[in-house]
Amino acid sequence: MNPLLIGIIAALVSAFSWASATILVRIGLKRLSPIAANILRLYVAALAFLGIFLVTNNLKVFRLPQKLLLIAFLSAQFGFVIGDYFYFTALKRMGVSRTVPITSTYPLWAILWALIFLDRTVSLRVVVGAVLIVTAIVIIKRAEEEEHVDGLGFVYALLAPISWSVAITLLDYLSSDVNVLQLTGLRMMFAALGISLLLPRYYGEIKSTTLGEFLTIGSAAVLGLILGQYLFVYSVSTVGSPIAAPVSAINPIISSLLAVLLLGENPSKRIFEGLALAVTGIILISTG
């Protein structure tokens, strides 16, 4: 099978995994705060990867050159700690409808960094496809009612995709030197290490987590941070971040569709308009 097609399929499945995890997180956040839930899911994912590394004799990854370990650590912090902190804070200040359209622009930032720092060649079709996918996400997530604009919230929402795109660019750089499983697990363990700085503040809340909440968040970790991240890293290593990032960015659209099907949310015409744009964008990227 064509490597480009394999990479795109991996990115699509990762998007589906992330969207499924989002539904589980929504269910798990009835009582838990987003940061407490994030700590739980990162710990579950990190421990799972540690177990996988022990079974598959991959602990040698920690003997990589210090430069590569540092870059992996930075990628993890920008992706799962700093970026998600900005994202959760923006959500709290502005709500979903104003936050998600801004944060969903990370593929465009990833393409820009790949052009500047990785000397990648990106075709016009890929750029147009990425713009269509981001436009699709904006259409889906636009609010039906106006909200008050929060200046600081807007800054947080803008910093989140920039942080995520930096993480993706660093990941792209590492993907030629570290195999997919090792790189995915390494980043997850480093992310859990970094977010541990917030553990004292949220320890009481995490300690009171019920078994049901733990299983829900744990399942979200398996889908989003283990399966989803593994497939995304595989996609980046196969086709590069300028293609993997915009294709995987359709996960909010899939999440919206799943919310309609599984959570009983009312379907919107915008979902289908956005889906059509997203499919067009993916086709352009696939043939770019």
Side-chain angles (χ1 to χ4, degrees), residues 4 46 52-53 71-72 83-84 123 160 180 207 213 224 235 239 278:
L4 175 62
I52 292 171
F53 279 14
I71 293 173
D84 283 352
S123 70
V180 174
K207 188 178 180 180
E213 289 170 338
S235 179
V239 297

Side-chain angles (χ1 to χ4, degrees), residues 256-268:
S256 296
L257 291 171
L258 289 176
V260 170
L261 294 173
L262 301 178
L263 300 182
E265 295 186 4
N266 293 325
S268 168

Side-chain angles (χ1 to χ4, degrees), residues 28-258:
L29 286 180
K30 289 181 179 178
R31 188 188 63 84
L32 288 174
S33 67
I35 293 180
N38 195 27
I39 292 173
L40 272 177
R41 70 189 187 111
L42 282 174
Y43 278 14
V44 169
L47 288 173
F49 273 113
L50 181 59
I52 292 171
F53 279 14
L54 285 169
V55 172
T56 59
N57 194 29
N58 271 294
L59 287 177
K60 57 187 177 183
V61 69
F62 292 104
R63 296 199 294 269
L64 284 171
Q66 290 186 355
K67 177 184 176 181
L68 295 182
L69 290 175
L70 176 60
I71 293 173
F73 180 83
L74 292 175
S75 176
Q77 305 318 304
F78 277 110
F80 304 112
V81 181
I82 300 172
D84 283 352
Y85 170 77
F86 288 141
Y87 177 57
F88 291 145
T89 304
L91 282 176
K92 184 176 181 179
R93 299 184 70 96
M94 298 199 305
V96 173
S97 61
R98 289 194 176 276
T99 300
V100 172
I102 302 170
T103 58
S104 296
T105 60
Y106 72 87
L108 299 182
W109 292 103
I111 289 174
L112 177 62
W113 305 144
L115 285 170
I116 295 174
F117 298 110
L118 301 180
D119 197 27
R120 294 292 172 83
T121 300
V122 180
S123 70
L124 180 60
R125 283 193 177 194
V126 172
V127 174
V128 173
V131 171
L132 286 178
I133 290 173
V134 171
T135 303
I137 296 167
V138 172
I139 289 174
I140 295 263
K141 293 298 182 180
R142 281 187 60 184
E144 294 291 346
E145 58 184 18
E146 290 295 324
E147 298 179 35
H148 296 292
V149 177
D150 185 311
L152 186 57
F154 177 84
V155 172
Y156 280 123
L158 184 61
L159 289 174
I162 294 175
S163 180
W164 291 336
S165 67
V166 170
I168 291 170
T169 304
L170 294 173
L171 167 64
D172 199 343
Y173 175 83
L174 289 168
S175 63
S176 60
D177 296 305
V178 188
N179 75 50
V180 174
L181 177 63
Q182 290 179 342
L183 183 53
T184 307
L186 188 64
R187 291 175 74 236
M188 211 56 60
M189 284 184 267
F190 281 157
L193 180 63
I195 206 168
S196 294
L197 292 174
L198 300 175
L199 182 59
R201 181 176 179 181
Y202 292 91
Y203 177 75
E205 184 180 353
I206 293 172
K207 188 178 180 180
S208 65
T209 301
T210 66
L211 177 61
E213 289 170 338
F214 177 79
L215 291 176
T216 301
I217 297 299
S219 299
V222 171
L223 282 172
L225 297 181
I226 299 177
L227 178 61
Q229 280 299 317
Y230 175 83
L231 290 171
F232 180 69
V233 174
Y234 176 83
S235 179
V236 170
S237 68
T238 304
V239 297
S241 59
I243 292 177
V247 172
S248 66
I250 71 165
N251 80 84
I253 297 175
I254 301 174
S255 179
S256 296
L257 291 171
L258 289 176

